[in-house]
Amino acid sequence: MSKKRSDCPISSSLEIWGDKWSLLIIRDLMLKKECTYGEFLKADEKIATNILASRLQHLLEAEIIAKKDHPDSKLKILYHLTEKGIDLIPLIVEINLWGEKYLSIPEERKKLVENIKKDKEKFIRDAKAYLSKSS
């Protein structure tokens, strides 16, 4: 890890997961629980392979994500969130709510946001429980 710019918790946190690609990787792992390298590349945002490799390595080093062997292929690796990564769920929930309030969001995301709005605390608890279960 590189030297921190400051001891401010916001600044220090953003150095770990604050770029858009890292947040999108975290988002995908929250939605899908596990992803392969190829699945990240297929996301609508079209991340470049060199950026993806760099962000995955950075998130691995920060212990936000971990990897394990794919059960069906020795050539593939599955990435998943660690407890440290799962603890980012409330942040991602709030970003979704902010985006729904101020931006246009796709239809498929509206159902997720409506579920969050019904009972945010329950949504967060359920998401954490789901992601914490071993696959």
Side-chain angles (χ1 to χ4, degrees), residues 85-101:
I86 291 168
D87 282 342
L88 289 169
I89 289 173
L91 174 76
I92 300 296
V93 163
E94 292 301 331
I95 292 171
N96 271 288
L97 293 172
W98 186 90
E100 189 263 344
K101 184 174 181 179

Side-chain angles (χ1 to χ4, degrees), residues 45-125:
E45 293 83 13
K46 306 293 184 219
I47 187 170
T49 57
N50 62 323
I51 302 287
L52 177 57
S54 170
R55 294 316 186 277
L56 288 172
Q57 186 60 39
H58 181 73
L59 292 170
L60 284 163
E61 289 170 3
E63 299 177 339
I64 301 294
I65 66 172
K67 60 185 179 177
K68 63 183 180 181
D69 294 334
H70 194 288
D72 300 330
S73 173
K74 291 182 181 190
L75 300 176
K76 293 182 181 180
I77 293 172
L78 283 173
Y79 294 90
H80 60 93
L81 293 169
T82 62
E83 183 178 343
K84 198 172 174 182
I86 291 168
D87 282 342
L88 289 169
I89 289 173
L91 174 76
I92 300 296
V93 163
E94 292 301 331
I95 292 171
N96 271 288
L97 293 172
W98 186 90
E100 189 263 344
K101 184 174 181 179
Y102 294 107
L103 307 168
S104 62
I105 62 171
E107 285 300 317
E108 65 269 11
R109 190 54 56 96
K110 288 182 182 180
K111 182 168 175 44
L112 175 72
V113 173
E114 289 307 313
N115 284 336
I116 291 170
K117 289 168 124 181
K118 285 179 194 169
D119 187 342
K120 182 169 47 172
E121 296 308 314
K122 181 180 182 320
F123 181 91
I124 290 169
R125 265 193 324 273

